[in-house]
Amino acid sequence: MDFDALFNAELDTLRTEGNYRVFAELERHRGAFPRAVNHGCPEKSDVTVWCSNDYLCMGQHADVLDAMHAAIDRAGAGAGGTRNISGTHHTHVALERELADLHGKEAALLFTSGYVSNWASLSTLGARLPNAVILSDSLNHASMIEGIRHAKCARRIWKHNDVEDLRRHLAELPEGATPIVAFESVYSMDGDIAPIKEICDVADEFGAMTYIDEVHAVGMYGPRGGGVAEREGLMDRITLIEGTLGKAFGVMGGYITGSSALCDFIRSFASGFIFTTALPPAVAAGALASIRHLKASEFERRRQQRQVANLRAGLDAVGIPHLPNPSHIVPVMVKDPVKCKMISDILLDQHGIYVQPINYPTVPKGTERLRFTPGPMHSDQDIDHLVFALGELWRHCALARAVA
Ligand SMILES: *Cc1c(COP(=O)(O)O)cnc(C)c1O
Protein backbone atom coordinates (compact mmCIF):
# COMPACT_ATOMS: atom_id res chain seq x y z
CA MET A 1 0.00 0.00 0.00
CA ASP A 2 1.36 3.42 -1.00
CA PHE A 3 0.40 5.40 2.08
CA ASP A 4 2.27 8.51 0.95
CA ALA A 5 0.06 8.63 -2.14
CA LEU A 6 -2.99 8.69 0.16
CA PHE A 7 -1.47 11.46 2.27
CA ASN A 8 -0.52 13.47 -0.80
CA ALA A 9 -3.96 13.15 -2.37
CA GLU A 10 -5.50 14.73 0.73
CA LEU A 11 -2.84 17.46 0.77
CA ASP A 12 -3.39 18.20 -2.92
CA THR A 13 -7.07 18.86 -2.19
CA LEU A 14 -6.04 21.46 0.38
CA ARG A 15 -3.61 23.04 -2.08
CA THR A 16 -6.16 23.39 -4.88
CA GLU A 17 -8.61 24.98 -2.45
CA GLY A 18 -5.94 27.46 -1.36
CA ASN A 19 -6.20 26.11 2.20
CA TYR A 20 -2.79 24.48 2.50
CA ARG A 21 -0.99 25.90 5.54
CA VAL A 22 2.54 27.25 5.22
CA PHE A 23 4.25 28.28 8.45
CA ALA A 24 6.42 31.36 8.55
CA GLU A 25 9.76 30.47 10.16
CA LEU A 26 10.58 33.37 12.42
CA GLU A 27 12.89 34.25 15.23
CA ARG A 28 11.77 37.06 17.47
CA HIS A 29 14.37 39.67 18.46
CA ARG A 30 14.37 39.93 22.23
CA GLY A 31 13.82 43.55 23.20
CA ALA A 32 12.87 44.56 19.64
CA PHE A 33 9.54 42.79 19.18
CA PRO A 34 7.42 43.14 16.96
CA ARG A 35 10.59 42.82 14.86
CA ALA A 36 11.64 39.25 13.96
CA VAL A 37 14.02 37.55 11.52
CA ASN A 38 12.31 35.65 8.72
CA HIS A 39 14.33 32.46 8.24
CA GLY A 40 12.07 31.39 5.40
CA CYS A 41 13.83 33.47 2.75
CA PRO A 42 17.46 33.24 1.57
CA GLU A 43 18.56 36.69 2.81
CA LYS A 44 16.95 36.19 6.26
CA SER A 45 15.27 39.59 6.26
CA ASP A 46 13.70 41.42 9.18
CA VAL A 47 9.92 41.52 9.35
CA THR A 48 7.33 43.23 11.54
CA VAL A 49 4.94 40.73 13.11
CA TRP A 50 1.28 41.82 12.88
CA CYS A 51 -0.55 38.67 13.95
CA SER A 52 0.93 37.70 17.29
CA ASN A 53 -1.28 36.60 20.15
CA ASP A 54 1.42 37.85 22.52
CA TYR A 55 -0.94 40.81 22.55
CA LEU A 56 0.85 42.90 25.15
CA CYS A 57 4.43 41.82 24.38
CA MET A 58 4.70 40.24 27.83
CA GLY A 59 6.73 37.43 26.24
CA GLN A 60 9.48 40.04 25.96
CA HIS A 61 8.98 41.77 29.30
CA ALA A 62 12.04 42.06 31.55
CA ASP A 63 10.12 40.94 34.69
CA VAL A 64 8.98 37.79 32.91
CA LEU A 65 12.40 36.95 31.49
CA ASP A 66 14.12 37.61 34.82
CA ALA A 67 11.66 35.36 36.63
CA MET A 68 12.24 32.58 34.11
CA HIS A 69 16.02 32.85 34.25
CA ALA A 70 15.95 32.84 38.03
CA ALA A 71 13.62 29.82 38.12
CA ILE A 72 15.90 27.80 35.84
CA ASP A 73 18.88 28.68 38.02
CA ARG A 74 16.93 27.73 41.13
CA ALA A 75 14.96 24.66 40.04
CA GLY A 76 16.33 23.39 36.70
CA ALA A 77 14.60 22.73 33.40
CA GLY A 78 11.58 20.43 33.51
CA ALA A 79 9.04 19.65 36.20
CA GLY A 80 10.16 16.02 36.32
CA GLY A 81 6.77 14.38 36.48
CA THR A 82 3.02 14.62 36.43
CA ARG A 83 1.48 16.79 39.11
CA ASN A 84 0.70 13.62 41.09
CA ILE A 85 4.13 12.01 40.83
CA SER A 86 6.83 14.49 41.86
CA GLY A 87 5.80 17.18 39.35
CA THR A 88 4.08 19.69 41.66
CA HIS A 89 6.49 22.52 42.36
CA HIS A 90 6.08 25.37 44.75
CA THR A 91 5.77 27.70 41.73
CA HIS A 92 2.75 25.80 40.34
CA VAL A 93 0.95 26.21 43.62
CA ALA A 94 1.81 29.92 43.82
CA LEU A 95 0.60 30.41 40.24
CA GLU A 96 -2.70 28.67 40.95
CA ARG A 97 -3.21 30.95 43.95
CA GLU A 98 -2.47 34.00 41.83
CA LEU A 99 -4.97 32.87 39.15
CA ALA A 100 -7.70 32.20 41.69
CA ASP A 101 -7.15 35.71 43.06
CA LEU A 102 -7.15 37.24 39.55
CA HIS A 103 -10.63 35.87 38.92
CA GLY A 104 -12.00 36.19 42.46
CA LYS A 105 -12.41 32.43 42.80
CA GLU A 106 -11.53 29.95 45.55
CA ALA A 107 -9.21 27.84 43.44
CA ALA A 108 -7.48 27.35 40.10
CA LEU A 109 -6.00 24.43 38.22
CA LEU A 110 -3.13 24.55 35.71
CA PHE A 111 -2.90 22.65 32.44
CA THR A 112 -0.19 22.41 29.82
CA SER A 113 -2.19 24.60 27.41
CA GLY A 114 -5.49 26.40 27.04
CA TYR A 115 -6.50 23.77 24.51
CA VAL A 116 -5.95 20.99 27.05
CA SER A 117 -7.74 22.92 29.79
CA ASN A 118 -10.90 23.25 27.67
CA TRP A 119 -10.72 19.73 26.32
CA ALA A 120 -10.08 18.13 29.70
CA SER A 121 -12.54 20.22 31.72
CA LEU A 122 -15.51 20.04 29.35
CA SER A 123 -15.02 16.34 28.67
CA THR A 124 -14.84 15.61 32.41
CA LEU A 125 -17.86 17.76 33.30
CA GLY A 126 -19.92 16.28 30.48
CA ALA A 127 -18.94 12.69 31.18
CA ARG A 128 -19.08 12.75 35.01
CA LEU A 129 -22.01 14.97 35.92
CA PRO A 130 -25.27 13.04 36.00
CA ASN A 131 -27.56 13.92 33.05
CA ALA A 132 -25.17 16.58 31.78
CA VAL A 133 -26.26 18.58 28.75
CA ILE A 134 -23.69 20.97 27.30
CA LEU A 135 -25.16 23.99 25.51
CA SER A 136 -22.40 25.26 23.26
CA ASP A 137 -22.22 28.57 21.36
CA SER A 138 -22.00 27.78 17.63
CA LEU A 139 -18.67 29.60 17.25
CA ASN A 140 -16.89 28.01 20.19
CA HIS A 141 -13.22 27.16 19.75
CA ALA A 142 -12.06 23.74 18.49
CA SER A 143 -10.71 22.84 21.96
CA MET A 144 -14.19 23.22 23.49
CA ILE A 145 -15.87 21.35 20.65
CA GLU A 146 -13.45 18.43 20.97
CA GLY A 147 -13.94 18.31 24.74
CA ILE A 148 -17.71 18.28 24.37
CA ARG A 149 -17.49 15.56 21.73
CA HIS A 150 -15.27 13.47 23.94
CA ALA A 151 -17.71 13.82 26.86
CA LYS A 152 -20.27 11.86 24.83
CA CYS A 153 -23.05 13.57 26.80
CA ALA A 154 -26.12 15.28 25.36
CA ARG A 155 -25.26 18.54 23.62
CA ARG A 156 -27.02 21.41 21.95
CA ILE A 157 -25.56 24.12 19.74
CA TRP A 158 -27.14 27.56 20.17
CA LYS A 159 -26.87 30.41 17.70
CA HIS A 160 -23.79 32.53 18.22
CA ASN A 161 -24.31 35.16 20.95
CA ASP A 162 -28.09 34.68 20.67
CA VAL A 163 -29.54 34.67 24.18
CA GLU A 164 -33.08 33.97 22.99
CA ASP A 165 -31.93 30.88 21.12
CA LEU A 166 -30.08 29.75 24.25
CA ARG A 167 -33.27 30.25 26.26
CA ARG A 168 -35.26 28.15 23.77
CA HIS A 169 -32.79 25.29 24.11
CA LEU A 170 -32.75 25.49 27.92
CA ALA A 171 -36.54 25.51 28.04
CA GLU A 172 -36.66 22.29 26.01
CA LEU A 173 -34.39 20.28 28.32
CA PRO A 174 -35.95 17.30 30.06
CA GLU A 175 -36.63 17.27 33.80
CA GLY A 176 -33.51 16.36 35.78
CA ALA A 177 -30.99 17.56 33.21
CA THR A 178 -27.76 19.21 34.41
CA PRO A 179 -27.24 22.08 31.93
CA ILE A 180 -23.80 23.58 31.28
CA VAL A 181 -23.69 26.73 29.13
CA ALA A 182 -20.31 26.96 27.36
CA PHE A 183 -19.20 30.12 25.56
CA GLU A 184 -16.34 32.57 25.05
CA SER A 185 -15.99 36.24 25.92
CA VAL A 186 -13.93 37.59 22.99
CA TYR A 187 -14.29 35.48 19.84
CA SER A 188 -10.90 35.43 18.23
CA MET A 189 -11.73 35.55 14.53
CA ASP A 190 -14.49 38.20 14.42
CA GLY A 191 -13.41 39.94 17.62
CA ASP A 192 -17.00 40.22 18.87
CA ILE A 193 -17.85 39.94 22.57
CA ALA A 194 -20.54 37.78 24.19
CA PRO A 195 -23.45 39.34 26.12
CA ILE A 196 -22.12 37.76 29.32
CA LYS A 197 -24.65 39.28 31.71
CA GLU A 198 -27.65 38.22 29.62
CA ILE A 199 -26.24 34.71 29.22
CA CYS A 200 -25.75 34.45 33.00
CA ASP A 201 -29.30 35.72 33.59
CA VAL A 202 -30.78 33.02 31.36
CA ALA A 203 -28.49 30.37 32.82
CA ASP A 204 -29.64 31.33 36.34
CA GLU A 205 -33.28 31.14 35.30
CA PHE A 206 -32.76 27.49 34.37
CA GLY A 207 -30.24 26.62 37.09
CA ALA A 208 -27.48 26.09 34.53
CA MET A 209 -23.77 26.10 35.16
CA THR A 210 -21.78 28.72 33.19
CA TYR A 211 -18.42 27.98 31.53
CA ILE A 212 -16.56 30.84 29.88
CA ASP A 213 -13.39 30.79 27.76
CA GLU A 214 -11.65 34.13 28.34
CA VAL A 215 -8.52 33.13 26.43
CA HIS A 216 -8.48 36.28 24.27
CA ALA A 217 -9.41 38.56 27.15
CA VAL A 218 -7.26 37.63 30.14
CA GLY A 219 -4.56 40.21 30.72
CA MET A 220 -6.35 42.49 28.25
CA TYR A 221 -9.58 43.68 29.85
CA GLY A 222 -10.63 44.65 33.36
CA PRO A 223 -8.70 46.81 35.81
CA ARG A 224 -6.41 43.90 36.78
CA GLY A 225 -6.50 42.01 33.49
CA GLY A 226 -9.10 39.53 34.76
CA GLY A 227 -10.93 39.60 31.40
CA VAL A 228 -14.25 40.91 30.14
CA ALA A 229 -16.10 39.34 33.07
CA GLU A 230 -13.91 41.35 35.44
CA ARG A 231 -14.47 44.55 33.48
CA GLU A 232 -18.23 44.01 33.67
CA GLY A 233 -18.28 42.92 37.30
CA LEU A 234 -19.57 39.47 36.41
CA MET A 235 -16.85 37.07 37.55
CA ASP A 236 -18.94 35.82 40.48
CA ARG A 237 -21.80 34.96 38.11
CA ILE A 238 -19.67 32.43 36.22
CA THR A 239 -19.11 28.92 37.54
CA LEU A 240 -15.89 28.25 35.65
CA ILE A 241 -13.52 30.74 34.01
CA GLU A 242 -10.96 29.27 31.62
CA GLY A 243 -7.89 31.09 30.31
CA THR A 244 -4.48 30.74 28.73
CA LEU A 245 -1.02 31.79 29.83
CA GLY A 246 0.14 31.73 26.20
CA LYS A 247 -1.51 34.80 24.71
CA ALA A 248 -1.58 38.14 26.55
CA PHE A 249 0.46 36.66 29.42
CA GLY A 250 3.14 35.82 26.86
CA VAL A 251 4.29 32.41 28.14
CA MET A 252 2.49 29.05 27.88
CA GLY A 253 -0.07 26.95 29.71
CA GLY A 254 -3.78 26.98 30.41
CA TYR A 255 -6.01 27.04 33.46
CA ILE A 256 -9.46 26.97 34.94
CA THR A 257 -10.70 28.81 38.03
CA GLY A 258 -13.79 28.18 40.12
CA SER A 259 -14.84 26.80 43.47
CA SER A 260 -12.50 24.52 45.43
CA ALA A 261 -14.88 21.61 44.87
CA LEU A 262 -15.00 22.21 41.11
CA CYS A 263 -11.22 22.41 40.74
CA ASP A 264 -10.72 19.39 42.99
CA PHE A 265 -13.25 17.46 40.88
CA ILE A 266 -11.42 18.25 37.60
CA ARG A 267 -8.04 17.58 39.28
CA SER A 268 -9.27 14.19 40.41
CA PHE A 269 -11.03 12.97 37.25
CA ALA A 270 -9.59 14.72 34.16
CA SER A 271 -7.30 12.44 32.21
CA GLY A 272 -5.80 15.45 30.38
CA PHE A 273 -4.73 16.86 33.73
CA ILE A 274 -3.62 13.69 35.47
CA PHE A 275 -1.56 11.82 32.90
CA THR A 276 0.78 14.48 31.58
CA THR A 277 3.99 16.10 32.80
CA ALA A 278 3.48 19.39 34.62
CA LEU A 279 4.60 22.70 33.10
CA PRO A 280 8.30 23.48 33.62
CA PRO A 281 8.68 25.57 36.82
CA ALA A 282 10.36 28.33 34.81
CA VAL A 283 7.28 28.61 32.59
CA ALA A 284 5.07 28.83 35.66
CA ALA A 285 7.40 31.46 37.17
CA GLY A 286 7.28 33.53 33.97
CA ALA A 287 3.48 33.40 33.88
CA LEU A 288 3.31 34.34 37.56
CA ALA A 289 5.49 37.41 36.96
CA SER A 290 3.42 38.36 33.92
CA ILE A 291 0.09 38.12 35.75
CA ARG A 292 1.42 40.10 38.71
CA HIS A 293 2.72 42.80 36.41
CA LEU A 294 -0.53 43.12 34.46
CA LYS A 295 -2.60 43.16 37.64
CA ALA A 296 -0.84 46.36 38.66
CA SER A 297 -0.02 48.01 35.32
CA GLU A 298 -2.49 49.61 32.92
CA PHE A 299 0.33 50.88 30.68
CA GLU A 300 0.39 47.95 28.24
CA ARG A 301 -3.41 47.72 27.95
CA ARG A 302 -3.80 51.46 27.33
CA ARG A 303 -1.05 51.68 24.77
CA GLN A 304 -2.33 48.58 22.99
CA GLN A 305 -5.88 49.95 22.82
CA ARG A 306 -4.52 53.21 21.43
CA GLN A 307 -2.65 51.41 18.63
CA VAL A 308 -5.76 49.35 17.81
CA ALA A 309 -7.73 52.60 17.40
CA ASN A 310 -4.92 54.10 15.30
CA LEU A 311 -4.82 51.13 12.95
CA ARG A 312 -8.60 51.19 12.50
CA ALA A 313 -8.51 54.92 11.73
CA GLY A 314 -5.70 54.36 9.21
CA LEU A 315 -7.61 51.60 7.44
CA ASP A 316 -10.75 53.72 7.33
CA ALA A 317 -8.84 56.61 5.80
CA VAL A 318 -7.90 54.52 2.75
CA GLY A 319 -11.10 52.45 2.61
CA ILE A 320 -9.71 49.04 3.54
CA PRO A 321 -12.71 47.01 4.77
CA HIS A 322 -12.37 45.63 8.30
CA LEU A 323 -14.93 44.08 10.62
CA PRO A 324 -16.11 46.54 13.24
CA ASN A 325 -16.03 45.02 16.72
CA PRO A 326 -15.53 46.15 20.32
CA SER A 327 -12.25 44.26 20.85
CA HIS A 328 -8.57 44.47 19.99
CA ILE A 329 -8.80 42.17 16.94
CA VAL A 330 -8.78 43.85 13.52
CA PRO A 331 -9.99 41.44 10.80
CA VAL A 332 -9.41 42.74 7.26
CA MET A 333 -11.79 40.83 5.03
CA VAL A 334 -10.49 39.42 1.71
CA LYS A 335 -13.20 36.75 1.22
CA ASP A 336 -11.14 34.59 -1.11
CA PRO A 337 -8.60 31.98 0.06
CA VAL A 338 -6.21 32.31 -2.88
CA LYS A 339 -6.14 36.13 -2.80
CA CYS A 340 -5.80 36.06 0.98
CA LYS A 341 -2.69 33.88 0.77
CA MET A 342 -1.30 35.95 -2.12
CA ILE A 343 -1.70 39.24 -0.26
CA SER A 344 -0.05 37.76 2.80
CA ASP A 345 2.89 36.50 0.66
CA ILE A 346 3.37 39.89 -1.01
CA LEU A 347 3.18 41.73 2.32
CA LEU A 348 5.91 39.47 3.67
CA ASP A 349 8.17 39.38 0.61
CA GLN A 350 7.91 42.98 -0.53
CA HIS A 351 6.93 44.98 2.53
CA GLY A 352 8.46 43.09 5.47
CA ILE A 353 5.01 42.72 7.02
CA TYR A 354 4.03 39.37 8.47
CA VAL A 355 0.32 38.58 8.79
CA GLN A 356 -0.87 35.00 8.42
CA PRO A 357 -3.82 34.40 6.05
CA ILE A 358 -6.80 32.99 7.95
CA ASN A 359 -8.61 30.46 5.80
CA TYR A 360 -11.03 27.55 6.18
CA PRO A 361 -11.49 25.64 8.49
CA THR A 362 -10.46 28.32 10.99
CA VAL A 363 -13.15 30.58 9.46
CA PRO A 364 -16.07 29.70 7.13
CA LYS A 365 -15.33 29.56 3.40
CA GLY A 366 -15.90 32.96 1.76
CA THR A 367 -14.87 34.86 4.92
CA GLU A 368 -11.09 34.54 4.46
CA ARG A 369 -9.27 37.35 6.13
CA LEU A 370 -6.09 38.89 7.46
CA ARG A 371 -6.30 39.17 11.23
CA PHE A 372 -4.24 42.04 12.64
CA THR A 373 -3.42 42.32 16.32
CA PRO A 374 -1.72 45.65 17.02
CA GLY A 375 0.35 45.63 20.19
CA PRO A 376 1.77 48.25 22.53
CA MET A 377 5.14 48.06 20.78
CA HIS A 378 3.88 48.74 17.25
CA SER A 379 4.94 52.31 16.46
CA ASP A 380 2.86 54.89 14.60
CA GLN A 381 5.32 54.44 11.69
CA ASP A 382 4.65 50.69 11.70
CA ILE A 383 0.95 51.44 11.34
CA ASP A 384 1.53 53.97 8.53
CA HIS A 385 3.70 51.47 6.69
CA LEU A 386 1.08 48.72 7.02
CA VAL A 387 -1.78 50.95 5.85
CA PHE A 388 0.29 52.16 2.88
CA ALA A 389 1.19 48.59 1.85
CA LEU A 390 -2.41 47.42 2.13
CA GLY A 391 -3.58 50.39 0.05
CA GLU A 392 -1.09 49.45 -2.71
CA LEU A 393 -2.19 45.84 -2.64
CA TRP A 394 -5.86 46.66 -2.74
CA ARG A 395 -5.17 48.63 -5.91
CA HIS A 396 -2.95 45.88 -7.36
CA CYS A 397 -5.44 43.07 -6.64
CA ALA A 398 -8.53 45.14 -7.58
CA LEU A 399 -10.18 44.36 -4.25
CA ALA A 400 -13.31 46.10 -3.10
CA ARG A 401 -12.93 49.15 -0.90
CA ALA A 402 -15.21 50.00 1.97
CA VAL A 403 -17.67 52.73 1.10
CA ALA A 404 -17.57 55.60 3.56
C1 LIG B 1 -5.92 29.74 21.47
C2 LIG B 1 -7.24 29.36 22.05
C3 LIG B 1 -7.35 28.34 23.00
C4 LIG B 1 -6.21 27.45 23.33
O1 LIG B 1 -5.27 28.08 24.14
P1 LIG B 1 -3.75 27.62 24.05
O2 LIG B 1 -3.17 28.04 25.33
O3 LIG B 1 -3.18 28.29 22.83
O4 LIG B 1 -3.75 26.13 23.87
C5 LIG B 1 -8.56 28.14 23.62
N1 LIG B 1 -9.65 28.89 23.32
C6 LIG B 1 -9.58 29.86 22.38
C7 LIG B 1 -10.81 30.65 22.08
C8 LIG B 1 -8.39 30.11 21.70
O5 LIG B 1 -8.34 31.04 20.75
Side-chain angles (χ1 to χ4, degrees):
M1 194 72 176
D2 186 352
F3 288 111
D4 282 350
L6 297 178
F7 301 144
N8 284 323
E10 289 293 314
L11 292 169
D12 285 343
T13 312
L14 279 186
R15 283 195 189 90
T16 43
E17 286 171 347
N19 290 325
Y20 182 73
R21 290 168 188 242
V22 182
F23 298 159
E25 185 184 337
L26 304 179
E27 188 168 19
R28 304 209 285 172
H29 286 306
R30 183 175 64 80
F33 192 72
R35 240 56 73 191
V37 183
N38 178 14
H39 284 269
C41 62
E43 59 277 19
K44 300 210 190 330
S45 58
D46 260 20
V47 296
T48 302
V49 179
W50 273 102
C51 54
S52 178
N53 282 340
D54 185 356
Y55 293 128
L56 300 176
C57 301
M58 291 306 290
Q60 304 282 326
H61 196 281
D63 287 2
V64 176
L65 302 189
D66 288 350
M68 294 185 77
H69 285 297
I72 289 179
D73 291 343
R74 203 171 55 239
T82 63
R83 288 293 295 274
N84 188 40
I85 306 178
S86 92
T88 296
H89 290 243
H90 178 58
T91 318
H92 295 126
V93 178
L95 176 54
E96 285 174 340
R97 249 186 243 124
E98 192 72 33
L99 287 164
D101 174 77
L102 177 66
H103 294 289
K105 300 290 184 192
E106 285 173 358
L109 194 65
L110 279 173
F111 295 81
T112 44
S113 74
Y115 187 103
V116 174
S117 65
N118 271 331
W119 183 86
S121 303
L122 281 166
S123 63
T124 304
L125 289 166
R128 287 265 166 189
L129 291 182
N131 306 318
V133 182
I134 301 181
L135 299 104
S136 178
D137 182 285
S138 63
L139 289 190
N140 274 343
H141 187 256
S143 55
M144 300 169 85
I145 297 169
E146 291 298 329
I148 295 165
R149 237 185 233 157
H150 189 75
K152 297 191 172 68
C153 63
R155 71 199 90 145
R156 281 163 176 264
I157 316 292
W158 46 287
K159 277 192 212 133
H160 176 57
N161 279 350
D162 185 335
V163 179
E164 283 317 306
D165 194 50
L166 172 62
R167 178 197 301 279
R168 261 192 301 282
H169 281 289
L170 282 164
E172 280 172 19
L173 295 185
E175 194 74 24
T178 308
I180 301 159
V181 176
F183 61 110
E184 301 181 21
S185 58
V186 178
Y187 286 83
S188 75
M189 290 301 146
D190 288 352
D192 54 337
I193 295 180
I196 302 176
K197 179 180 177 296
E198 289 74 13
I199 291 171
C200 289
D201 289 346
V202 178
D204 283 354
E205 226 177 277
F206 292 90
M209 176 177 165
T210 43
Y211 183 117
I212 195 169
D213 172 323
E214 286 246 48
V215 159
H216 291 278
V218 291
M220 308 281 296
Y221 298 93
R224 300 196 309 163
V228 180
E230 187 202 20
R231 183 183 74 185
E232 295 176 7
L234 296 167
M235 292 196 294
D236 63 334
R237 305 272 318 265
I238 294 166
T239 319
L240 186 156
I241 299 176
E242 184 271 345
T244 185
L245 305 171
K247 290 173 182 166
F249 292 127
V251 192
M252 187 183 183
Y255 65 88
I256 59 165
T257 64
S259 70
S260 301
L262 168 61
C263 293
D264 201 18
F265 168 79
I266 303 291
R267 183 186 77 92
S268 304
F269 291 111
S271 168
F273 174 83
I274 298 170
F275 296 105
T276 191
T277 301
L279 286 173
V283 169
L288 185 58
S290 183
I291 294 163
R292 283 184 180 157
H293 178 84
L294 288 177
K295 265 182 181 170
S297 169
E298 285 277 10
F299 172 79
E300 292 78 9
R301 284 188 281 275
R302 290 235 174 87
R303 164 117 192 128
Q304 195 248 8
Q305 284 156 13
R306 203 185 85 190
Q307 294 310 63
V308 171
N310 283 344
L311 175 60
R312 287 208 169 103
L315 293 173
D316 288 341
V318 294
I320 303 288
H322 57 103
L323 272 190
N325 66 49
S327 77
H328 59 283
I329 293 160
V330 185
V332 167
M333 308 307 284
V334 183
K335 303 182 177 177
D336 178 286
V338 177
K339 278 185 185 165
C340 198
K341 168 92 174 72
M342 185 179 77
I343 292 174
S344 149
D345 286 346
I346 298 173
L347 284 172
L348 187 66
D349 297 340
Q350 295 179 16
H351 300 276
I353 288 167
Y354 170 50
V355 61
Q356 190 69 18
I358 309 279
N359 286 355
Y360 178 82
T362 308
V363 295
K365 287 181 183 174
T367 72
E368 293 79 8
R369 67 197 67 185
L370 303 168
R371 174 184 178 273
F372 295 95
T373 52
M377 305 307 276
H378 284 105
S379 66
D380 295 349
Q381 290 89 322
D382 289 334
I383 292 175
D384 291 345
H385 177 60
L386 171 63
V387 168
F388 172 79
L390 283 172
E392 292 282 288
L393 270 162
W394 245 246
R395 204 171 3 260
H396 178 76
C397 301
L399 288 161
R401 304 254 173 180
V403 276

